Short mmCIF file of all heavy atoms in Angstrom, two decimals:
data_model
loop_
_atom_site.label_atom_id
_atom_site.label_comp_id
_atom_site.label_asym_id
_atom_site.label_seq_id
_atom_site.Cartn_x
_atom_site.Cartn_y
_atom_site.Cartn_z
N MET A 1 0.83 -1.20 -0.02
CA MET A 1 -0.02 0.02 0.01
C MET A 1 0.88 1.22 -0.01
O MET A 1 0.31 2.25 -0.30
CB MET A 1 -0.91 -0.03 1.17
CG MET A 1 -1.95 -1.12 1.12
SD MET A 1 -3.21 -0.97 2.24
CE MET A 1 -4.03 0.58 1.89
N ASP A 2 2.18 1.16 0.35
CA ASP A 2 3.00 2.30 0.37
C ASP A 2 4.07 2.09 -0.77
O ASP A 2 4.87 1.19 -0.71
CB ASP A 2 3.65 2.38 1.74
CG ASP A 2 4.53 3.68 1.91
OD1 ASP A 2 4.86 4.32 0.83
OD2 ASP A 2 4.78 4.05 3.04
N ASP A 3 4.03 2.99 -1.73
CA ASP A 3 4.95 2.92 -2.85
C ASP A 3 6.36 2.96 -2.46
O ASP A 3 7.24 2.25 -3.08
CB ASP A 3 4.62 4.04 -3.77
CG ASP A 3 3.25 3.93 -4.43
OD1 ASP A 3 2.73 2.77 -4.66
OD2 ASP A 3 2.61 4.95 -4.79
N HIS A 4 6.74 3.74 -1.45
CA HIS A 4 8.12 3.83 -0.99
C HIS A 4 8.63 2.48 -0.40
O HIS A 4 9.73 2.09 -0.59
CB HIS A 4 8.28 4.96 0.06
CG HIS A 4 8.00 6.31 -0.48
ND1 HIS A 4 8.75 6.88 -1.51
CD2 HIS A 4 6.97 7.15 -0.29
CE1 HIS A 4 8.26 8.09 -1.79
NE2 HIS A 4 7.07 8.21 -1.10
N VAL A 5 7.72 1.78 0.30
CA VAL A 5 8.06 0.46 0.78
C VAL A 5 8.27 -0.53 -0.34
O VAL A 5 9.24 -1.26 -0.31
CB VAL A 5 6.92 -0.03 1.71
CG1 VAL A 5 7.21 -1.47 2.15
CG2 VAL A 5 6.93 0.82 3.00
N VAL A 6 7.47 -0.49 -1.38
CA VAL A 6 7.60 -1.39 -2.51
C VAL A 6 8.86 -1.06 -3.24
O VAL A 6 9.67 -1.97 -3.54
CB VAL A 6 6.38 -1.11 -3.52
CG1 VAL A 6 6.55 -1.89 -4.79
CG2 VAL A 6 5.08 -1.54 -2.84
N ILE A 7 9.22 0.14 -3.45
CA ILE A 7 10.53 0.55 -4.03
C ILE A 7 11.63 0.04 -3.25
O ILE A 7 12.64 -0.49 -3.77
CB ILE A 7 10.57 2.05 -4.37
CG1 ILE A 7 9.61 2.46 -5.45
CG2 ILE A 7 11.97 2.44 -4.73
CD1 ILE A 7 9.41 3.93 -5.62
N SER A 8 11.55 0.16 -1.97
CA SER A 8 12.65 -0.25 -1.05
C SER A 8 12.77 -1.76 -1.21
O SER A 8 13.89 -2.29 -1.15
CB SER A 8 12.34 0.18 0.36
OG SER A 8 13.34 -0.31 1.24
N MET A 9 11.67 -2.55 -1.17
CA MET A 9 11.77 -3.96 -1.28
C MET A 9 12.37 -4.37 -2.60
O MET A 9 13.23 -5.32 -2.62
CB MET A 9 10.35 -4.52 -1.09
CG MET A 9 9.82 -4.41 0.21
SD MET A 9 8.08 -5.01 0.42
CE MET A 9 8.34 -6.75 0.30
N VAL A 10 12.03 -3.69 -3.69
CA VAL A 10 12.60 -4.09 -5.01
C VAL A 10 14.12 -3.72 -4.91
O VAL A 10 14.92 -4.49 -5.40
CB VAL A 10 11.95 -3.23 -6.08
CG1 VAL A 10 12.70 -3.42 -7.43
CG2 VAL A 10 10.50 -3.77 -6.27
N ALA A 11 14.47 -2.53 -4.33
CA ALA A 11 15.85 -2.19 -4.26
C ALA A 11 16.73 -3.21 -3.47
O ALA A 11 17.92 -3.33 -3.68
CB ALA A 11 15.98 -0.76 -3.66
N ASN A 12 16.10 -3.93 -2.55
CA ASN A 12 16.83 -4.84 -1.75
C ASN A 12 16.59 -6.33 -2.24
O ASN A 12 16.72 -7.25 -1.45
CB ASN A 12 16.34 -4.74 -0.31
CG ASN A 12 16.93 -3.53 0.42
OD1 ASN A 12 18.09 -3.47 0.65
ND2 ASN A 12 16.04 -2.48 0.62
N ASN A 13 16.20 -6.46 -3.51
CA ASN A 13 16.04 -7.77 -4.17
C ASN A 13 15.03 -8.64 -3.45
O ASN A 13 15.19 -9.81 -3.36
CB ASN A 13 17.37 -8.48 -4.24
CG ASN A 13 18.38 -7.67 -5.05
OD1 ASN A 13 18.00 -7.25 -6.08
ND2 ASN A 13 19.62 -7.61 -4.61
N LEU A 14 13.92 -8.02 -2.99
CA LEU A 14 12.86 -8.75 -2.38
C LEU A 14 11.63 -8.92 -3.24
O LEU A 14 10.57 -9.31 -2.81
CB LEU A 14 12.42 -8.08 -1.04
CG LEU A 14 13.61 -8.01 0.04
CD1 LEU A 14 13.11 -7.23 1.22
CD2 LEU A 14 13.99 -9.46 0.47
N GLY A 15 11.78 -8.66 -4.57
CA GLY A 15 10.71 -8.88 -5.48
C GLY A 15 10.76 -7.85 -6.61
O GLY A 15 11.72 -7.10 -6.82
N ILE A 16 9.72 -7.89 -7.43
CA ILE A 16 9.57 -7.04 -8.56
C ILE A 16 8.18 -6.36 -8.41
O ILE A 16 7.34 -6.82 -7.59
CB ILE A 16 9.65 -7.71 -9.89
CG1 ILE A 16 8.52 -8.79 -10.00
CG2 ILE A 16 10.99 -8.43 -10.01
CD1 ILE A 16 8.40 -9.41 -11.42
N SER A 17 7.96 -5.26 -9.11
CA SER A 17 6.71 -4.58 -9.12
C SER A 17 6.41 -3.76 -10.37
O SER A 17 7.40 -3.55 -11.11
CB SER A 17 6.71 -3.51 -7.90
OG SER A 17 5.49 -2.93 -7.83
N MET A 18 5.23 -3.47 -10.58
CA MET A 18 4.86 -2.55 -11.75
C MET A 18 4.38 -1.28 -11.12
O MET A 18 3.27 -1.32 -10.40
CB MET A 18 3.74 -3.26 -12.59
CG MET A 18 4.28 -4.45 -13.30
SD MET A 18 2.92 -5.37 -14.28
CE MET A 18 2.01 -4.02 -15.02
N LEU A 19 5.01 -0.21 -11.37
CA LEU A 19 4.65 1.12 -10.85
C LEU A 19 4.69 2.15 -11.96
O LEU A 19 5.45 2.02 -12.84
CB LEU A 19 5.61 1.48 -9.74
CG LEU A 19 5.71 0.66 -8.49
CD1 LEU A 19 6.91 0.99 -7.66
CD2 LEU A 19 4.41 0.77 -7.67
N PRO A 20 3.89 3.15 -11.86
CA PRO A 20 3.96 4.24 -12.82
C PRO A 20 5.12 5.08 -12.63
O PRO A 20 5.74 5.20 -11.61
CB PRO A 20 2.62 5.09 -12.47
CG PRO A 20 2.18 4.66 -11.22
CD PRO A 20 2.75 3.40 -10.87
N ASN A 21 5.64 5.66 -13.78
CA ASN A 21 6.83 6.53 -13.73
C ASN A 21 6.73 7.63 -12.70
O ASN A 21 7.68 7.96 -12.02
CB ASN A 21 7.11 7.15 -15.07
CG ASN A 21 7.71 6.15 -16.04
OD1 ASN A 21 8.42 5.24 -15.68
ND2 ASN A 21 7.39 6.32 -17.30
N LEU A 22 5.52 8.14 -12.48
CA LEU A 22 5.33 9.21 -11.51
C LEU A 22 5.74 8.78 -10.10
O LEU A 22 6.29 9.50 -9.40
CB LEU A 22 3.89 9.70 -11.54
CG LEU A 22 3.52 10.94 -10.75
CD1 LEU A 22 4.36 12.12 -11.16
CD2 LEU A 22 2.05 11.22 -10.82
N VAL A 23 5.45 7.52 -9.82
CA VAL A 23 5.76 6.97 -8.49
C VAL A 23 7.29 6.64 -8.39
O VAL A 23 7.92 6.98 -7.36
CB VAL A 23 4.96 5.67 -8.16
CG1 VAL A 23 5.47 5.01 -6.91
CG2 VAL A 23 3.53 6.00 -8.13
N ILE A 24 7.86 6.15 -9.42
CA ILE A 24 9.26 5.81 -9.44
C ILE A 24 10.17 7.09 -9.12
O ILE A 24 11.04 7.04 -8.38
CB ILE A 24 9.71 5.08 -10.75
CG1 ILE A 24 8.96 3.75 -10.81
CG2 ILE A 24 11.20 4.83 -10.78
CD1 ILE A 24 9.12 3.03 -12.09
N GLY A 25 9.91 8.10 -9.89
CA GLY A 25 10.55 9.47 -9.69
C GLY A 25 12.05 9.21 -9.60
O GLY A 25 12.75 8.70 -10.53
N ASN A 26 12.69 9.70 -8.49
CA ASN A 26 14.18 9.69 -8.33
C ASN A 26 14.72 8.29 -7.82
O ASN A 26 15.83 8.19 -7.64
CB ASN A 26 14.56 10.78 -7.31
CG ASN A 26 14.30 12.11 -7.87
OD1 ASN A 26 14.27 12.37 -9.01
ND2 ASN A 26 13.99 13.05 -6.93
N ALA A 27 13.86 7.36 -7.68
CA ALA A 27 14.28 6.03 -7.26
C ALA A 27 15.02 5.21 -8.30
O ALA A 27 15.55 4.14 -8.05
CB ALA A 27 13.06 5.18 -6.75
N ARG A 28 15.15 5.84 -9.54
CA ARG A 28 15.84 5.09 -10.63
C ARG A 28 17.32 4.80 -10.24
O ARG A 28 17.88 3.89 -10.82
CB ARG A 28 15.79 5.87 -11.88
CG ARG A 28 14.37 5.96 -12.48
CD ARG A 28 14.33 6.71 -13.75
NE ARG A 28 12.91 6.91 -14.13
CZ ARG A 28 12.13 6.08 -14.72
NH1 ARG A 28 12.49 4.83 -14.89
NH2 ARG A 28 10.91 6.35 -15.05
N ALA A 29 17.90 5.52 -9.35
CA ALA A 29 19.21 5.27 -8.91
C ALA A 29 19.35 3.98 -8.12
O ALA A 29 20.38 3.35 -7.94
CB ALA A 29 19.80 6.39 -8.18
N GLN A 30 18.25 3.61 -7.48
CA GLN A 30 18.22 2.39 -6.58
C GLN A 30 17.67 1.19 -7.28
O GLN A 30 17.95 0.02 -6.86
CB GLN A 30 17.23 2.70 -5.38
CG GLN A 30 17.64 3.89 -4.62
CD GLN A 30 16.55 4.24 -3.58
OE1 GLN A 30 15.47 3.63 -3.56
NE2 GLN A 30 16.87 5.33 -2.80
N ILE A 31 16.80 1.32 -8.32
CA ILE A 31 16.21 0.21 -8.98
C ILE A 31 16.45 0.25 -10.46
O ILE A 31 16.85 1.29 -11.03
CB ILE A 31 14.71 0.15 -8.66
CG1 ILE A 31 14.07 1.34 -9.20
CG2 ILE A 31 14.49 -0.08 -7.14
CD1 ILE A 31 12.50 1.35 -9.10
N GLN A 32 16.10 -0.86 -11.12
CA GLN A 32 16.18 -0.81 -12.65
C GLN A 32 14.68 -0.83 -13.07
O GLN A 32 13.93 -1.72 -12.76
CB GLN A 32 16.77 -2.08 -13.14
CG GLN A 32 16.89 -2.12 -14.62
CD GLN A 32 17.58 -3.39 -15.09
OE1 GLN A 32 17.92 -4.33 -14.42
NE2 GLN A 32 17.88 -3.41 -16.46
N ALA A 33 14.36 0.29 -13.76
CA ALA A 33 12.96 0.46 -14.29
C ALA A 33 13.05 0.05 -15.82
O ALA A 33 13.76 0.63 -16.61
CB ALA A 33 12.59 1.85 -14.18
N LEU A 34 12.09 -0.92 -16.07
CA LEU A 34 12.05 -1.37 -17.52
C LEU A 34 10.66 -0.96 -18.09
O LEU A 34 9.63 -1.03 -17.37
CB LEU A 34 12.15 -2.86 -17.64
CG LEU A 34 13.47 -3.46 -16.97
CD1 LEU A 34 13.38 -5.00 -16.99
CD2 LEU A 34 14.65 -3.02 -17.80
N PRO A 35 10.63 -0.54 -19.35
CA PRO A 35 9.36 -0.23 -19.95
C PRO A 35 8.52 -1.44 -20.25
O PRO A 35 8.98 -2.51 -20.40
CB PRO A 35 9.68 0.52 -21.27
CG PRO A 35 11.06 -0.12 -21.63
CD PRO A 35 11.69 -0.37 -20.30
N LEU A 36 7.14 -1.28 -20.22
CA LEU A 36 6.27 -2.37 -20.58
C LEU A 36 6.14 -2.43 -22.07
O LEU A 36 6.24 -1.42 -22.78
CB LEU A 36 4.88 -2.11 -20.05
CG LEU A 36 4.69 -2.17 -18.49
CD1 LEU A 36 3.21 -1.72 -18.13
CD2 LEU A 36 5.02 -3.49 -17.93
N GLU A 37 6.05 -3.67 -22.61
CA GLU A 37 5.85 -3.89 -23.95
C GLU A 37 4.60 -4.68 -24.18
O GLU A 37 4.43 -5.76 -23.60
CB GLU A 37 7.02 -4.68 -24.61
CG GLU A 37 8.33 -3.94 -24.54
CD GLU A 37 8.41 -2.74 -25.51
OE1 GLU A 37 7.64 -2.79 -26.47
OE2 GLU A 37 9.17 -1.84 -25.20
N PRO A 38 3.61 -4.19 -24.87
CA PRO A 38 3.49 -2.90 -25.55
C PRO A 38 3.34 -1.78 -24.50
O PRO A 38 2.97 -2.01 -23.36
CB PRO A 38 2.30 -2.97 -26.42
CG PRO A 38 1.41 -3.90 -25.71
CD PRO A 38 2.34 -4.91 -25.08
N ASN A 39 3.58 -0.50 -24.87
CA ASN A 39 3.58 0.66 -23.98
C ASN A 39 2.16 0.73 -23.45
O ASN A 39 1.16 0.42 -24.11
CB ASN A 39 3.94 1.90 -24.78
CG ASN A 39 4.11 3.05 -23.88
OD1 ASN A 39 4.41 2.92 -22.73
ND2 ASN A 39 4.03 4.29 -24.39
N PHE A 40 2.05 1.20 -22.20
CA PHE A 40 0.80 1.32 -21.48
C PHE A 40 0.77 2.74 -20.99
O PHE A 40 1.67 3.26 -20.48
CB PHE A 40 0.72 0.32 -20.34
CG PHE A 40 -0.52 0.47 -19.52
CD1 PHE A 40 -1.70 -0.09 -19.98
CD2 PHE A 40 -0.49 1.17 -18.34
CE1 PHE A 40 -2.88 0.07 -19.22
CE2 PHE A 40 -1.64 1.26 -17.58
CZ PHE A 40 -2.80 0.78 -18.06
N SER A 41 -0.48 3.37 -21.07
CA SER A 41 -0.66 4.73 -20.52
C SER A 41 -2.06 4.73 -19.98
O SER A 41 -2.91 3.92 -20.18
CB SER A 41 -0.49 5.75 -21.62
OG SER A 41 -1.45 5.61 -22.66
N ARG A 42 -2.30 5.85 -19.21
CA ARG A 42 -3.56 6.12 -18.63
C ARG A 42 -3.89 7.61 -18.73
O ARG A 42 -3.00 8.40 -18.73
CB ARG A 42 -3.78 5.49 -17.35
CG ARG A 42 -2.83 6.11 -16.28
CD ARG A 42 -2.90 5.45 -14.96
NE ARG A 42 -1.85 5.93 -14.08
CZ ARG A 42 -1.53 5.39 -12.94
NH1 ARG A 42 -2.22 4.50 -12.48
NH2 ARG A 42 -0.60 5.93 -12.25
N GLU A 43 -5.13 7.93 -18.60
CA GLU A 43 -5.51 9.33 -18.61
C GLU A 43 -6.01 9.65 -17.10
O GLU A 43 -6.72 8.90 -16.52
CB GLU A 43 -6.67 9.61 -19.53
CG GLU A 43 -6.23 9.55 -21.02
CD GLU A 43 -7.34 10.06 -21.97
OE1 GLU A 43 -8.17 10.84 -21.54
OE2 GLU A 43 -7.35 9.58 -23.06
N LEU A 44 -5.66 10.82 -16.66
CA LEU A 44 -6.04 11.31 -15.37
C LEU A 44 -6.88 12.54 -15.66
O LEU A 44 -6.66 13.28 -16.59
CB LEU A 44 -4.79 11.65 -14.54
CG LEU A 44 -3.81 10.52 -14.22
CD1 LEU A 44 -2.68 11.06 -13.42
CD2 LEU A 44 -4.53 9.43 -13.49
N GLY A 45 -7.79 12.84 -14.75
CA GLY A 45 -8.67 14.01 -14.82
C GLY A 45 -8.92 14.71 -13.55
O GLY A 45 -8.59 14.14 -12.45
N ILE A 46 -9.40 15.89 -13.62
CA ILE A 46 -9.82 16.65 -12.42
C ILE A 46 -11.27 16.94 -12.52
O ILE A 46 -11.78 17.46 -13.57
CB ILE A 46 -9.04 18.00 -12.30
CG1 ILE A 46 -7.55 17.68 -12.10
CG2 ILE A 46 -9.55 18.78 -11.16
CD1 ILE A 46 -6.71 18.95 -12.15
N GLY A 47 -12.09 16.51 -11.57
CA GLY A 47 -13.49 16.76 -11.61
C GLY A 47 -13.85 17.87 -10.68
O GLY A 47 -13.50 17.87 -9.49
N ILE A 48 -14.62 18.88 -11.11
CA ILE A 48 -15.10 19.96 -10.29
C ILE A 48 -16.51 20.31 -10.67
O ILE A 48 -16.97 20.02 -11.77
CB ILE A 48 -14.20 21.25 -10.53
CG1 ILE A 48 -14.20 21.68 -11.95
CG2 ILE A 48 -12.77 21.03 -9.99
CD1 ILE A 48 -13.52 23.02 -12.20
N ARG A 49 -17.22 20.87 -9.72
CA ARG A 49 -18.62 21.31 -10.00
C ARG A 49 -18.66 22.58 -10.74
O ARG A 49 -19.42 22.72 -11.63
CB ARG A 49 -19.36 21.35 -8.65
CG ARG A 49 -19.63 20.10 -7.99
CD ARG A 49 -20.52 20.27 -6.78
NE ARG A 49 -20.67 19.02 -6.16
CZ ARG A 49 -21.54 18.83 -5.12
NH1 ARG A 49 -22.33 19.69 -4.69
NH2 ARG A 49 -21.59 17.59 -4.61
N SER A 50 -17.85 23.53 -10.35
CA SER A 50 -17.79 24.85 -10.96
C SER A 50 -16.53 25.48 -10.74
O SER A 50 -15.99 25.57 -9.58
CB SER A 50 -18.93 25.74 -10.29
OG SER A 50 -18.69 27.04 -10.63
N TYR A 51 -15.86 25.90 -11.83
CA TYR A 51 -14.52 26.59 -11.69
C TYR A 51 -14.63 27.82 -10.93
O TYR A 51 -13.81 28.14 -10.15
CB TYR A 51 -14.03 26.86 -13.07
CG TYR A 51 -12.59 27.42 -13.09
CD1 TYR A 51 -11.48 26.50 -12.93
CD2 TYR A 51 -12.28 28.76 -13.16
CE1 TYR A 51 -10.24 26.98 -12.83
CE2 TYR A 51 -11.08 29.24 -13.10
CZ TYR A 51 -9.99 28.35 -13.02
OH TYR A 51 -8.62 28.87 -12.96
N ALA A 52 -15.79 28.54 -11.14
CA ALA A 52 -16.05 29.84 -10.41
C ALA A 52 -16.10 29.68 -8.76
O ALA A 52 -15.75 30.51 -8.04
CB ALA A 52 -17.21 30.57 -10.91
N GLY A 53 -16.50 28.52 -8.40
CA GLY A 53 -16.65 28.20 -6.95
C GLY A 53 -15.42 27.68 -6.30
O GLY A 53 -15.45 27.44 -5.11
N LEU A 54 -14.31 27.53 -7.05
CA LEU A 54 -13.09 26.93 -6.55
C LEU A 54 -12.38 28.08 -5.67
O LEU A 54 -12.43 29.27 -6.02
CB LEU A 54 -12.21 26.45 -7.63
CG LEU A 54 -12.64 25.19 -8.41
CD1 LEU A 54 -11.66 24.91 -9.45
CD2 LEU A 54 -12.80 24.06 -7.42
N SER A 55 -11.62 27.60 -4.73
CA SER A 55 -10.69 28.56 -3.97
C SER A 55 -9.57 29.00 -4.91
O SER A 55 -9.27 28.35 -5.88
CB SER A 55 -10.12 27.88 -2.74
OG SER A 55 -9.22 26.81 -3.18
N PRO A 56 -8.95 30.08 -4.65
CA PRO A 56 -7.86 30.59 -5.42
C PRO A 56 -6.76 29.53 -5.46
O PRO A 56 -6.05 29.34 -6.54
CB PRO A 56 -7.38 31.87 -4.76
CG PRO A 56 -8.59 32.35 -4.04
CD PRO A 56 -9.35 31.12 -3.61
N ALA A 57 -6.49 28.84 -4.34
CA ALA A 57 -5.43 27.75 -4.37
C ALA A 57 -5.80 26.60 -5.37
O ALA A 57 -4.95 26.11 -6.09
CB ALA A 57 -5.27 27.23 -2.94
N ALA A 58 -7.04 26.22 -5.37
CA ALA A 58 -7.51 25.16 -6.30
C ALA A 58 -7.32 25.66 -7.74
O ALA A 58 -7.00 24.88 -8.65
CB ALA A 58 -8.91 24.70 -5.98
N GLN A 59 -7.71 26.89 -8.05
CA GLN A 59 -7.55 27.48 -9.36
C GLN A 59 -6.10 27.46 -9.79
O GLN A 59 -5.78 27.08 -10.91
CB GLN A 59 -8.20 28.80 -9.43
CG GLN A 59 -9.71 28.82 -9.32
CD GLN A 59 -10.29 30.21 -9.34
OE1 GLN A 59 -9.59 31.20 -9.52
NE2 GLN A 59 -11.61 30.36 -9.18
N GLN A 60 -5.28 27.84 -8.89
CA GLN A 60 -3.81 27.87 -9.16
C GLN A 60 -3.28 26.44 -9.44
O GLN A 60 -2.43 26.23 -10.30
CB GLN A 60 -2.98 28.51 -8.04
CG GLN A 60 -3.21 30.00 -8.02
CD GLN A 60 -2.44 30.69 -6.83
OE1 GLN A 60 -1.76 29.99 -6.13
NE2 GLN A 60 -2.54 31.98 -6.77
N PHE A 61 -3.79 25.51 -8.66
CA PHE A 61 -3.40 24.04 -8.89
C PHE A 61 -3.78 23.62 -10.27
O PHE A 61 -2.97 23.01 -10.96
CB PHE A 61 -4.06 23.22 -7.79
CG PHE A 61 -3.83 21.75 -7.97
CD1 PHE A 61 -2.60 21.14 -7.75
CD2 PHE A 61 -4.86 20.95 -8.48
CE1 PHE A 61 -2.39 19.83 -7.95
CE2 PHE A 61 -4.69 19.58 -8.67
CZ PHE A 61 -3.37 19.01 -8.42
N ILE A 62 -5.00 23.92 -10.65
CA ILE A 62 -5.44 23.51 -12.01
C ILE A 62 -4.59 24.16 -13.05
O ILE A 62 -4.21 23.55 -14.05
CB ILE A 62 -6.96 23.79 -12.20
CG1 ILE A 62 -7.71 22.89 -11.35
CG2 ILE A 62 -7.37 23.63 -13.68
CD1 ILE A 62 -9.23 23.17 -11.28
N ALA A 63 -4.29 25.48 -12.89
CA ALA A 63 -3.39 26.14 -13.83
C ALA A 63 -2.04 25.55 -13.93
O ALA A 63 -1.50 25.43 -15.02
CB ALA A 63 -3.33 27.65 -13.43
N ALA A 64 -1.54 25.20 -12.79
CA ALA A 64 -0.13 24.55 -12.73
C ALA A 64 -0.19 23.19 -13.51
O ALA A 64 0.77 22.93 -14.22
CB ALA A 64 0.33 24.42 -11.29
N ILE A 65 -1.22 22.44 -13.28
CA ILE A 65 -1.36 21.10 -13.89
C ILE A 65 -1.43 21.32 -15.46
O ILE A 65 -0.77 20.62 -16.25
CB ILE A 65 -2.62 20.33 -13.42
CG1 ILE A 65 -2.31 19.93 -11.95
CG2 ILE A 65 -2.83 19.11 -14.29
CD1 ILE A 65 -1.20 19.06 -11.69
N GLN A 66 -2.24 22.23 -15.83
CA GLN A 66 -2.49 22.43 -17.35
C GLN A 66 -1.14 22.95 -17.87
O GLN A 66 -0.73 22.56 -19.05
CB GLN A 66 -3.52 23.56 -17.54
CG GLN A 66 -4.95 23.04 -17.23
CD GLN A 66 -6.01 24.07 -17.31
OE1 GLN A 66 -5.73 25.26 -16.96
NE2 GLN A 66 -7.20 23.74 -17.70
N GLU A 67 -0.31 23.77 -17.20
CA GLU A 67 0.85 24.26 -17.71
C GLU A 67 1.88 23.08 -17.84
O GLU A 67 2.57 22.94 -18.78
CB GLU A 67 1.44 25.33 -16.79
CG GLU A 67 2.79 25.92 -17.20
CD GLU A 67 3.33 26.99 -16.28
OE1 GLU A 67 2.50 27.80 -15.84
OE2 GLU A 67 4.54 26.98 -16.05
N HIS A 68 1.89 22.19 -16.84
CA HIS A 68 2.78 21.07 -16.76
C HIS A 68 2.48 20.14 -17.98
O HIS A 68 3.23 19.61 -18.70
CB HIS A 68 2.69 20.33 -15.51
CG HIS A 68 3.61 19.11 -15.42
ND1 HIS A 68 4.97 19.23 -15.32
CD2 HIS A 68 3.32 17.79 -15.51
CE1 HIS A 68 5.43 17.97 -15.33
NE2 HIS A 68 4.52 17.09 -15.38
N ILE A 69 1.15 19.84 -18.26
CA ILE A 69 0.74 19.03 -19.32
C ILE A 69 1.16 19.57 -20.67
O ILE A 69 1.50 18.77 -21.50
CB ILE A 69 -0.80 18.81 -19.27
CG1 ILE A 69 -1.16 17.90 -18.08
CG2 ILE A 69 -1.36 18.19 -20.57
CD1 ILE A 69 -2.60 17.79 -17.80
N ASN A 70 1.14 20.86 -20.76
CA ASN A 70 1.55 21.49 -22.10
C ASN A 70 2.99 21.29 -22.36
O ASN A 70 3.39 21.58 -23.50
CB ASN A 70 1.06 22.89 -22.15
CG ASN A 70 -0.41 23.03 -22.21
OD1 ASN A 70 -1.08 22.22 -22.72
ND2 ASN A 70 -0.97 24.19 -21.68
N THR A 71 3.82 20.86 -21.40
CA THR A 71 5.20 20.68 -21.66
C THR A 71 5.55 19.37 -22.29
O THR A 71 6.62 19.09 -22.70
CB THR A 71 6.04 20.83 -20.32
OG1 THR A 71 5.67 19.76 -19.47
CG2 THR A 71 5.87 22.16 -19.69
N PHE A 72 4.55 18.49 -22.34
CA PHE A 72 4.76 17.17 -23.00
C PHE A 72 4.66 17.27 -24.48
O PHE A 72 3.98 17.66 -25.25
CB PHE A 72 3.82 16.14 -22.48
CG PHE A 72 4.19 15.74 -21.11
CD1 PHE A 72 3.37 16.16 -19.97
CD2 PHE A 72 5.26 14.93 -20.78
CE1 PHE A 72 3.75 15.80 -18.70
CE2 PHE A 72 5.57 14.52 -19.52
CZ PHE A 72 4.84 14.99 -18.45
#
C-alpha cells in the first residue's frame, strides 16, 4: 500500500513490481525500471462542480497542472 516500501523492497532484491513513472521518480538510482511492451498509458482528470466556486489555491493548482501538461 506504500509505494516507498515497494520501491525499497525491490531495491533490496525482495521482489519485482509494476509502478507508474510518476511513483518511481528519483528512485531510478536504486532500482532498474524497464518499460512495458507494448507501451501502456492512462488518462487522469480533475472533476469539479464549478470553476468559479473553487478557492484561489485550487484554481492555481489546475493552472499549474495545465501548464505542466503542455510541456509534453
Side-chain angles (χ1 to χ4, degrees):
M1 294 191 60
D2 186 342
D3 296 326
H4 298 291
V5 171
V6 172
I7 290 170
S8 178
M9 292 176 72
V10 171
N12 287 290
N13 297 316
L14 297 175
I16 62 172
S17 181
M18 290 176 43
L19 298 169
N21 283 329
L22 187 61
V23 171
I24 295 172
N26 295 331
R28 293 184 190 282
Q30 302 169 357
I31 62 173
Q32 181 179 9
L34 303 173
L36 292 176
E37 294 292 335
N39 191 22
F40 177 80
S41 65
R42 61 183 171 189
E43 290 188 29
L44 301 177
I46 297 175
I48 58 173
R49 290 185 184 190
S50 166
Y51 187 80
L54 292 177
S55 69
Q59 290 178 4
Q60 288 179 359
F61 173 74
I62 290 173
I65 294 299
Q66 289 173 327
E67 182 178 322
H68 180 72
I69 287 172
N70 290 332
T71 63
F72 288 103

